[in-house]
Amino acid sequence: MYRSHTNGELRATHINKEVTLSGWVQKIRDKGFMIWVDLRDRYGITQLIFDEERTPKEMMTLASQLGREFVIQATGTVIERESKNPNMPTGDIEILVSKLTILNKSLTPPFTIEDATDGGEDLRMKYRYLDIRRKPVRDNLVFRHKVTMAVRNYLSNLDFVEVETPYLIKSTPEGARDFVVPSRMNEGQFYALPQSPQTFKQLLMVGGMDKYFQIVKCFRDEDLRADRQPEFTQIDCEMAYIEQEDILNTFEGLTRHLLKEINGVEVDKFPRITYDEAMKTYGNDKPDIRFGMKFGELNEVAQHKDFNVFNSAELVVGIAVPGGNQYSRKEIDQLIDWIKRPQVGALGMVYVRCNDDGTYKSSVDKFYDQEDLAKWAHATGASNGDLICVLSGEKNKVRGQLSALRMELASRLGLRKSDEFAPLWVIDFPLLEWDEETNRYHAMHHPFTSPKSGQLDLLESNPGAVKANAYDLVLNGNEIGGGSIRIHDKETQSLMFDYLGFSEEEAKAQFGFLMDAFQYGAPPHGGIAFGLDRLVAILGGQETIRDFIAFPKNNAGRDVMIDAPAPIDKEQLKELHLQLNLKP
């Protein structure tokens, strides 16, 4: 056998026991007459000792030839360590080696395989298989496994059944861009990789599965960022014979279970706010409620003077920054520069200092007196010692700009604590949203989302006012899950396609299989999908999902380790009936 124990399990209770260990050489300290080797595997590190007085000569010679990351097998006796290391679980013992075998040699790795490595991100991505040997990366992958198993066990105990759905499906026009796969056997035709198993899980409800889930890969050909990859994993769920309240209760339970099981955190409250309230109060539909700084709308108390910047604005809105009166003028100017960046796009900012003596000092004192500014403080909930930051402009734009500022200030003030968890539901989304580029309505979630009860008639007179029977679960300012009650009858689904601009022929060509299925007794149903990568990152106290993916893509969507995507040879192209017009 290669090993009797792992490198993380031996303790003082094993002293005088003969053991065999295997693993990678982490570190070597060679004094000539004595050699120490740190041996590492997934479970930990154990120190080996080679002593010329107690170790066979040929083993001493072999030990002197070891290099970093050599794979070795060592047999020896567990002895008490003279210089104990309290920072290591195995720090009370070491192995006096009697037999050493080199299982595989190694080149010198391109970066140090230690917790604090000297390798940059690009280099570690290229040699990801080496990076995974580092404890922080390995621990993240083990953490992901624990979350995944907790999800599977919880849902299975509620009688959910995990069912696999196809990866080669039909391309649809809604949503992000599809990754497409040419068909060799069907010339000129293409599969698409699924952006979600949406229609298949609805068909499973028609098929009577009742409760379905799947931990499934999904694919979207869109621009990347820290919390987005071209391929990602969803916890995809669907239930039959339910209403919105059933979904919310079931998946509150799952989230509560994960926080308790994984993080040891008890969360009782899952507040619910409407989409309109979220936008008005926080400027976005996934608010972080671990801290305050709620928006205060100031039109009524700021548009009565001769300050034309405010008078001409659709919305004047502000937030109170706790303790912000301590900011120097230089620090406030830096904030103004921050919101003027193209990523935020604000033209400027008005500020008010709330002094400890109850007076106010603003950047617009020429136009507003103390009574005016007191009303601003009341509207934003500002107290003595705070700073009021005010933006103005077109309603939707200025809310987004102030939301970005709110999150930036919270980060600077240390209010976004990774060990605090504040979930909430955002409900009553608009069913449709207007797209200026295409000059038509698009489904805000997807075209299978049901409108709220009693609002179907509004599709004719005021489609933008129709609310969806949809919901998002937000955790610490991140959308971790979203879903809806689905349309389950052909007539309503046909009407929805009509309002989304599909002709009858287009709807039949794209979704005829689903419409046909609805004619065979489709039950009321609905569901939700969690983004597993993002959920794991938040539970792990980090922002970037790449840290929890074994083999992630970089910001350009490339796998630099295997150099993909890559060209394919001409014969493959010919078989697939494809011709590329490449520039010379």
Side-chain angles (χ1 to χ4, degrees), residues 416-448:
R416 300 180 66 190
K417 298 176 182 177
S418 62
D419 59 349
E420 290 183 7
F421 298 94
L424 81 156
W425 290 102
V426 179
I427 59 175
D428 294 353
F429 283 82
L431 182 68
L432 307 172
E433 58 183 343
W434 184 256
D435 189 305
E436 296 289 348
E437 290 186 13
T438 59
N439 201 37
R440 66 182 179 91
Y441 280 105
H442 286 259
M444 192 166 207
H445 280 74
H446 53 61
F448 316 109

Side-chain angles (χ1 to χ4, degrees), residues 160-161 163 198-213 236-242 247 486-488 514 517-518 520-527:
F160 281 80
V161 178
V163 182
Q198 180 62 45
T199 54
F200 288 99
K201 65 179 178 179
Q202 290 189 248
L203 291 172
L204 286 170
M205 296 303 102
V206 178
M209 288 307 298
D210 196 70
K211 291 181 178 180
Y212 141 95
F213 85 99
D236 199 58
C237 308
E238 198 81 1
M239 303 169 70
Y241 302 109
I242 47 82
I247 297 283
R486 322 301 187 190
I487 297 169
H488 67 278
L514 185 65
F518 284 171
Y520 290 93
H525 60 279

Side-chain angles (χ1 to χ4, degrees), residues 172-178 195 220 222 442-443 445-447:
T172 59
E174 290 290 319
R177 293 184 186 90
D178 288 326
Q195 297 183 33
R220 291 179 186 170
E222 55 187 0
H442 286 259
H445 280 74
H446 53 61

Side-chain angles (χ1 to χ4, degrees), residues 5-289:
H5 298 76
T6 69
N7 290 315
E9 68 177 293
L10 296 175
R11 301 290 187 269
T13 54
H14 296 94
I15 287 175
N16 296 325
K17 184 179 180 66
E18 185 175 81
V19 298
T20 299
L21 304 178
S22 293
W24 289 271
V25 173
Q26 169 96 3
K27 192 179 295 184
I28 307 164
R29 297 177 295 284
D30 190 343
K31 297 292 186 181
F33 62 92
M34 194 171 288
I35 301 172
W36 293 272
V37 174
D38 286 350
L39 189 64
R40 181 191 70 243
D41 63 11
R42 170 187 147 189
Y43 306 95
I45 295 175
T46 297
Q47 180 169 282
L48 311 180
I49 183 170
F50 300 81
D51 180 351
E52 66 178 8
E53 293 184 359
R54 296 177 289 176
T55 302
K57 184 176 180 180
E58 63 273 19
M59 294 299 110
M60 288 293 294
T61 302
L62 194 57
S64 68
Q65 299 170 4
L66 295 177
R68 283 167 47 205
E69 300 307 309
F70 275 37
V71 185
I72 65 172
Q73 180 188 47
T75 298
T77 305
V78 182
I79 63 174
E80 186 175 3
R81 189 164 164 172
E82 289 188 12
S83 299
K84 294 180 173 59
N85 185 345
N87 298 318
M88 287 175 59
T90 60
D92 289 341
I93 58 94
E94 57 191 358
I95 311 301
L96 179 61
V97 177
S98 57
K99 182 181 177 182
L100 174 66
T101 303
I102 296 177
L103 300 174
N104 210 338
K105 295 182 179 180
S106 172
L107 297 174
T108 301
F111 53 88
T112 55
I113 301 177
E114 296 179 0
D115 290 5
T117 182
D118 56 358
E121 185 172 332
D122 290 342
L123 184 64
R124 290 186 288 110
M125 290 271 281
K126 183 175 181 180
Y127 296 94
R128 183 64 167 177
Y129 47 86
L130 297 180
D131 200 30
I132 290 173
R133 293 182 192 173
R134 294 194 310 117
K135 187 177 186 299
V137 180
R138 185 176 65 246
D139 286 353
N140 282 347
L141 297 181
V142 173
F143 183 82
R144 181 188 178 106
H145 162 74
K146 290 179 178 178
V147 174
T148 303
M149 290 305 297
V151 169
R152 278 198 163 98
N153 292 337
Y154 185 87
L155 293 176
S156 296
N157 287 335
L158 291 180
D159 291 331
F160 281 80
V161 178
E162 186 164 14
V163 182
E164 295 181 60
T165 53
Y167 278 157
L168 294 175
I169 65 168
K170 190 177 191 176
S171 183
T172 59
E174 290 290 319
R177 293 184 186 90
D178 288 326
F179 283 101
V180 294
V181 181
S183 170
R184 178 181 59 83
M185 294 183 291
N186 300 275
E187 182 175 351
Q189 296 186 327
F190 297 82
Y191 298 105
L193 299 180
Q195 297 183 33
S196 84
Q198 180 62 45
T199 54
F200 288 99
K201 65 179 178 179
Q202 290 189 248
L203 291 172
L204 286 170
M205 296 303 102
V206 178
M209 288 307 298
D210 196 70
K211 291 181 178 180
Y212 141 95
F213 85 99
Q214 184 181 189
I215 297 178
V216 59
K217 279 285 187 187
C218 302
F219 308 86
R220 291 179 186 170
D221 187 7
E222 55 187 0
D223 296 335
L224 307 183
R225 57 189 188 216
D227 62 347
R228 181 179 290 164
Q229 289 268 299
E231 53 180 315
F232 57 96
T233 306
Q234 282 188 179
I235 308 166
D236 199 58
C237 308
E238 198 81 1
M239 303 169 70
Y241 302 109
I242 47 82
E243 297 178 339
Q244 178 176 294
E245 194 67 22
D246 301 303
I247 297 283
L248 269 55
N249 288 336
T250 299
F251 293 98
E252 273 184 26
L254 173 61
T255 308
R256 195 176 279 114
H257 173 75
L258 291 176
L259 288 168
K260 177 69 183 299
E261 186 80 6
I262 304 298
N263 296 86
V265 173
E266 298 264 9
V267 176
D268 293 326
K269 295 182 179 179
F270 281 67
R272 300 179 188 182
I273 62 173
T274 65
Y275 170 86
D276 291 341
E277 183 183 354
M279 297 303 294
K280 183 176 181 179
T281 309
Y282 300 101
N284 69 70
D285 59 2
K286 47 182 185 297
D288 191 337
I289 59 170

Side-chain angles (χ1 to χ4, degrees), residues 303-315:
Q303 289 186 324
H304 62 293
K305 294 297 178 73
D306 295 329
F307 188 51
N308 193 51
V309 172
F310 284 177
N311 292 343
S312 61
E314 183 181 7
L315 178 65

